[in-house]
Amino acid sequence: MPVQPLRPPSAGRAAAHIGLFVLGGVVALAGALVQAAWFPGGLLLGLVGAAGLFLGGSYATRSRGGAVAPAAGWIITVVLLTTARPEGDFLFGAGAGSYLFLLGGMALAVICATLGPGRRPGGGSARLAK
């Protein structure tokens, strides 16, 4: 099949990606609060929730963009939560759990975006040549 020109996404697909972006921010905020409250279990819960959203978004939209949209929302929210405010308040403390949450979530975002269903050459399914 020859290369097709790019066309804008449908309104439904664009709305799904925007919703996944916002949901990624919500999951990041919830994970940030849970990982600090219940250290070993909360950290795992926050990371499993993020991975489930990334991979679920990828499968729901049947594209890798479905994993990238919530991952972008997650990363932007986490980076904004790490900055200190003028009052001296911050959400992440300097501890092993916070760093594991930050780096683990970013690694999961890359893994889920890579492993998610994407366009495959040859019509969507890999066939062995005989």
Side-chain angles (χ1 to χ4, degrees):
M1 177 186 303
V3 177
Q4 301 294 323
L6 291 176
R7 45 179 206 255
S10 66
R13 183 171 289 270
H17 283 95
I18 291 170
L20 286 169
F21 180 84
V22 171
L23 196 56
V26 171
V27 168
L29 180 62
L33 295 174
V34 169
Q35 67 88 19
W38 306 311
F39 173 61
L43 175 64
L44 290 175
L45 182 64
L47 290 176
V48 167
L53 175 63
F54 303 154
L55 202 55
S58 178
Y59 280 106
T61 60
R62 293 187 184 107
S63 70
R64 290 191 176 121
V68 172
W74 189 92
I75 290 171
I76 290 171
T77 302
V78 167
V79 168
L80 289 176
L81 291 175
T82 59
T83 59
R85 296 179 33 185
E87 297 88 15
D89 298 337
F90 55 91
L91 193 58
F92 286 104
S98 297
Y99 292 121
L100 285 173
F101 181 70
L102 293 170
L103 297 175
M106 290 181 190
L108 285 172
V110 170
I111 290 168
C112 292
T114 303
L115 294 178
R119 299 174 73 186
R120 307 263 193 261
S125 64
R127 297 183 185 135
L128 297 174
K130 294 183 182 181

